[in-house]
Amino acid sequence: MTYSVAVSGASGYAGGEILRLLADHPDIEIRTVTAHSNAGQPLIDHQPHLRSLAHLTLQDTTPEILAGHDIVFLALPHGQSGQYTDALGDTPLVIDAGADHRLTSADAWDAFYGGTFHEPWTYGVPELPVAGAKQREHLRGATRIAAPGCNASTVSLSLAPGVAAGVIDPGDIVSVLAVGPSGAGKSLKPNLLASEILGSANPYAVGGTHRHIPEIRQALAAASPSTGSGTQTGTGSGTQTGTGSGTQTSSGSGTQRIGISFTPVLVPMSRGILATSSAPIVEGATDAQIRAAWQDAYADETFVHVLPEGRFPRTADVIGANTALIGLAVDRAANRVTVVAAVDNLVKGTAGAAIQSMNIALGLPETRALSVNGVAP
């Protein structure tokens, strides 16, 4: 079967990456691409690397144009997806690469985003440990999927195995991330100009203000064995009721157990995230138990790899790939576990996660159109 697809926000970075990956998907026909200010222009003018899609013209982003497809991808800034998802009730599968459907807590949305709170959808991080299983089980047959925030999924994949195994204390997590500016989107912003970022490292959203913090807390609460109600579920009816399938639920008490100091630092690389996270070791946990928690969690995963002891990833190792590479160190002097994770923010962090989740939802091979091989040098 061939599925017809529409991609909104197709002139941006996330939309362009979704298109790049879908262009090589044998089960997908990219039929429609949409934008706002760039509507009416050839797609190739904004995505000149997508030569196989040169025949497409950007159309207006309206519910009427997006409707009538088997799958709709929304690659829009936060707060903009909801106005379209509410009108796409007849679309078999909708995947939101924005933030509108990620959070289960209206209070968290109000505190970090503001504006209208929309129904939470099935979270699109298949490898994430949740309540003794993996999030992919909730993606099977899902009809509404919330692709993750790139920083959030990187930190969550870094630490969830330790939380699930009970070998780290999630109440005192410290994460510092080196991130490329493509994660901030394609809109012109003075702080993202080359003259501002080349030769410099610039912290931002310091002091617990970054919008991915509640998403991390939600994901790690779902991984905790002591908060079984913190699962993120979805059986795929795509209902918008708040209690139907395709939703996530998370206990407030579970998220309260997750304490995280999160500091992103903008660095002069166009793509990539290098996340260094640490958490206290639970009393009695041995070095072998700690390493086994991560190795066992990801032993059978195609796209998440735990490196051998003493090895740590570079962002250069994951560019263009749908892989997350993880290095682990047990620091007994500080009594903390340190995890270093590298991802391509536009692939595994966004578009790759969305397409991997799509494959699972449709019952296709999970790896279809996705590669573990990066681009070097």
Side-chain angles (χ1 to χ4, degrees):
M1 177 177 179
T2 299
Y3 298 91
S4 63
V5 169
V7 177
S8 69
S11 60
Y13 288 138
E17 195 69 359
I18 289 170
L19 290 169
R20 183 180 74 87
L21 298 174
L22 288 178
D24 292 326
H25 199 300
D27 303 296
I28 294 298
E29 177 196 356
I30 301 170
R31 184 176 297 173
T32 302
V33 291
T34 77
H36 287 289
S37 60
N38 297 317
Q41 302 174 32
L43 174 68
I44 201 73
D45 286 357
H46 297 274
Q47 307 288 6
H49 60 299
L50 301 180
R51 308 311 298 179
S52 68
L53 303 179
H55 60 286
L56 294 173
T57 298
L58 293 164
Q59 301 183 54
D60 288 321
T61 300
T62 67
E64 293 75 20
I65 288 175
L66 294 174
H69 298 81
D70 297 315
I71 306 167
V72 172
F73 286 87
L74 300 168
L76 302 172
H78 77 84
Q80 294 189 20
S81 299
Q83 61 183 309
Y84 302 107
T85 58
D86 290 345
L88 293 172
D90 293 333
T91 302
L93 176 59
V94 182
I95 301 172
D96 185 11
D100 290 34
H101 296 280
R102 293 175 189 158
L103 298 185
T104 62
S105 167
D107 290 340
W109 177 266
D110 290 341
F112 284 84
Y113 290 92
T116 303
F117 175 73
H118 290 279
E119 180 74 22
W121 289 356
T122 308
Y123 195 48
V125 184
E127 303 91 349
L128 191 68
V130 288
K134 290 289 183 71
Q135 182 63 11
R136 74 165 43 82
E137 299 308 316
H138 303 304
L139 285 162
R140 301 188 196 282
T143 66
R144 298 294 183 268
I145 295 171
C150 53
N151 297 314
S153 62
T154 305
V155 173
S156 299
L157 287 169
S158 296
L159 297 174
V163 174
V167 297
I168 62 172
D169 176 5
D172 182 20
I173 294 167
V174 177
S175 293
V176 179
L177 289 74
V179 301
S182 59
K186 211 172 186 178
S187 299
L188 293 177
K189 300 172 185 176
N191 66 308
L192 300 180
L193 294 173
S195 56
E196 299 292 332
I197 65 173
L198 292 179
S200 180
N202 307 292
Y204 66 99
V206 178
T209 62
H210 196 282
R211 288 167 167 163
H212 286 176
I213 289 173
E215 187 178 340
I216 296 168
R217 296 179 68 210
Q218 178 177 290
L220 294 182
S224 174
S226 62
T227 54
S229 62
T231 58
Q232 306 179 60
T233 63
T235 56
S237 69
T239 57
Q240 303 288 316
T241 63
T243 57
S245 300
T247 66
Q248 308 171 72
T249 60
S250 180
S251 72
S253 61
T255 56
Q256 291 302 317
R257 295 184 61 252
I258 311 299
I260 180 168
S261 172
F262 178 91
T263 306
V265 180
L266 194 67
V267 297
M269 58 184 184
S270 60
R271 290 172 177 251
I273 297 173
L274 189 73
T276 302
S277 303
S278 75
I281 299 169
V282 170
E283 184 176 357
T286 67
D287 290 16
Q289 289 171 330
I290 292 168
R291 177 158 286 275
W294 274 263
Q295 289 177 331
D296 292 348
Y298 297 134
D300 297 325
E301 295 295 346
T302 300
F303 295 119
V304 182
H305 302 165
V306 179
L307 301 181
E309 188 171 359
R311 299 284 298 276
F312 297 92
R314 312 172 302 168
T315 56
D317 303 329
V318 296
I319 298 304
N322 195 50
T323 48
L325 301 184
I326 292 175
L328 179 73
V330 178
D331 183 353
R332 284 295 176 182
N335 197 42
R336 297 179 74 89
V337 174
T338 298
V339 182
V340 181
V343 305
D344 183 324
N345 58 293
L346 291 178
V347 187
K348 186 57 176 167
T350 306
I355 292 169
Q356 185 181 348
S357 298
M358 176 199 76
N359 286 338
I360 296 169
L362 296 175
L364 300 173
E366 187 171 333
T367 59
R368 187 157 291 177
L370 300 170
S371 178
V372 297
N373 297 323
V375 178

